[in-house]
Amino acid sequence: MGVTAMLMLPLLLLGISGLLFIYQEVSRLWSKSAVQNKVVVITDAISGLGKECARVFHAGGARLVLCGKNWERLEILYDALISVADPSKTFTPKLVLLDLADISCVPDVAKEVLDCYGCVDILINNASMKIKGPAHKISLEFDKKIMDANYFGPITLTKALLPDMISRRTGQIVLVNNIQGKLGIPFRTAYAASKHAALGFFDCLRAEVEEYNVVVSTVSPTFIRSYRIDPGQGNWEASLWKFFFRKLTYGVHPVDVAEEVMRTVRRKKQEVFMANPIPKAAVYIRTFFPEFFFAVVACGVKEKLNVPEEG
């Protein structure tokens, strides 16, 4: 009996691994079929996440409209996509110059986007601008610039493309947001405010357009880390703040976020929160135990102010 059990265990593990592999492959193929021939607009396509979204959706047979504020980098992305693509299964991407921080140009760009294929099936709002520093040292002018890039830019483009979706009674809008749309972290006042505003807008919009069969989705990772930087183990002191909040810096890779965006589109999910248990616990504690949460944050600020800045 013991020998039989020992033989069964590897076979059971092998069987489970096989089933997981089959599930992943079926899910991947299903995701591709969900976007095949769909017109997909990706803002800030030249960022790390934008490039990965472009790669995933292009491989899935989507008709891409890639937006970015640097034409040379857009062309580099274009060349990278078509160099590895099968022309019989993919469409040649369209390139559109767009800087969402310049609100005045967005309506004209939206018209250019619609002219590419005559409609938009999926809009992925990916553009974002970051700033870190004490609130009193960041100028109001820069606060406005952050709001333009992270809030007014995406909603202006969304409002320009939304009537087409409503008239056709189909479409999906995806906002790539951040954990700071749910809770604020010290020294990121302008960034957190813009992310809160964007999340609030798209949460309201979701209910407004449901009757038109337009899906609004939000994907919120902790943060999207660089290709070249992995979270180190660190040598942190044993303080509650450092254990609780430094874990928020364990971001997710652009590839993982792009694949989650694809799954969100396929499944038409309304909200996705990509985080390990520590950030999820932080959101929970902020909601149900706000005084404790604020006390932990305040301890972190005091520690930060007592440590000389490097460089």
Side-chain angles (χ1 to χ4, degrees):
M1 180 65 69
V3 175
T4 303
M6 290 179 63
L7 292 174
M8 288 295 294
L9 183 59
L11 292 175
L12 180 61
L13 293 175
L14 183 62
I16 293 174
S17 300
L19 289 174
L20 287 174
F21 175 77
I22 293 172
Y23 171 78
Q24 289 174 350
E25 287 300 304
V26 170
S27 178
R28 181 176 61 82
L29 293 173
W30 187 15
S31 294
K32 287 185 175 182
S33 64
V35 300
Q36 194 168 19
N37 297 321
K38 299 289 187 181
V39 178
V40 180
V41 177
I42 303 175
T43 63
D44 197 14
I46 56 178
S47 66
L49 175 58
K51 292 176 183 176
E52 292 301 332
C53 284
R55 178 186 60 80
V56 169
F57 281 86
H58 187 246
R63 294 182 284 176
L64 289 182
V65 181
L66 304 176
C67 304
K69 58 184 179 182
N70 185 299
W71 187 258
E72 183 179 352
R73 292 176 64 186
L74 280 173
E75 289 183 325
I76 292 173
L77 175 59
Y78 173 92
D79 292 338
L81 291 174
I82 63 174
S83 66
V84 296
D86 182 350
S88 65
K89 297 180 181 178
T90 59
F91 293 90
T92 303
K94 307 284 189 181
L95 305 182
V96 174
L97 200 59
L98 170 64
D99 181 2
L100 282 177
D102 184 4
I103 305 299
S104 61
C105 75
V106 174
D108 291 334
V109 173
K111 184 179 183 303
E112 183 181 351
V113 167
L114 287 171
D115 288 342
C116 289
Y117 290 107
C119 67
V120 172
D121 295 303
I122 301 164
L123 168 62
I124 300 175
N125 282 304
N126 168 56
S128 183
M129 180 182 291
K130 299 178 182 178
I131 181 66
K132 179 181 178 181
H136 66 281
K137 292 186 178 180
I138 297 175
S139 67
L140 185 59
E141 182 180 358
F142 208 95
D143 284 334
K144 292 178 179 178
K145 189 173 182 180
I146 292 289
M147 287 299 293
D148 282 345
N150 296 354
Y151 175 70
F152 286 110
I155 74 165
T156 302
L157 182 60
T158 298
K159 288 185 174 186
L161 299 179
L162 188 59
D164 170 71
M165 294 184 179
I166 290 176
S167 66
R168 295 188 301 118
R169 303 188 75 85
T170 183
Q172 185 166 3
I173 300 167
V174 181
L175 170 70
V176 180
N177 208 45
N178 188 275
I179 187 177
Q180 292 183 62
K182 292 180 173 288
L183 56 85
I185 299 176
F187 307 110
R188 292 168 176 83
T189 50
Y191 181 72
S194 67
K195 292 301 181 179
H196 271 74
L199 187 63
F201 176 89
F202 285 97
D203 279 353
C204 294
L205 182 65
R206 180 182 296 115
E208 292 182 20
V209 299
E210 183 179 6
E211 64 176 304
Y212 303 109
N213 201 32
V214 176
V215 178
V216 176
S217 306
T218 56
V219 178
S220 300
T222 46
F223 81 94
I224 302 169
R225 70 174 183 256
S226 167
Y227 286 100
R228 297 174 296 279
I229 299 176
D230 292 317
Q233 294 298 317
N235 189 21
W236 305 332
E237 299 172 8
S239 75
L240 178 62
W241 180 83
K242 286 182 178 178
F243 171 77
F244 194 74
F245 268 92
R246 290 287 182 91
K247 291 290 184 179
L248 294 178
T249 63
Y250 275 36
V252 290
H253 197 278
V255 172
D256 298 327
V257 182
E259 291 175 352
E260 184 58 53
V261 170
M262 173 68 90
R263 283 191 292 270
T264 298
V265 169
R266 171 171 58 85
R267 298 175 182 175
K268 299 187 183 301
K269 293 192 287 187
Q270 296 179 333
E271 185 175 44
V272 177
F273 185 36
M274 299 183 67
N276 63 41
I278 298 298
K280 289 182 178 179
V283 173
Y284 175 86
I285 292 171
R286 167 65 179 85
T287 303
F288 295 100
F289 306 98
E291 292 184 1
F292 174 74
F293 178 87
F294 297 143
V296 173
V297 173
C299 289
V301 173
K302 291 175 183 177
E303 287 186 19
K304 179 73 174 178
L305 293 176
N306 291 330
V307 176
E309 291 288 341
E310 296 181 1

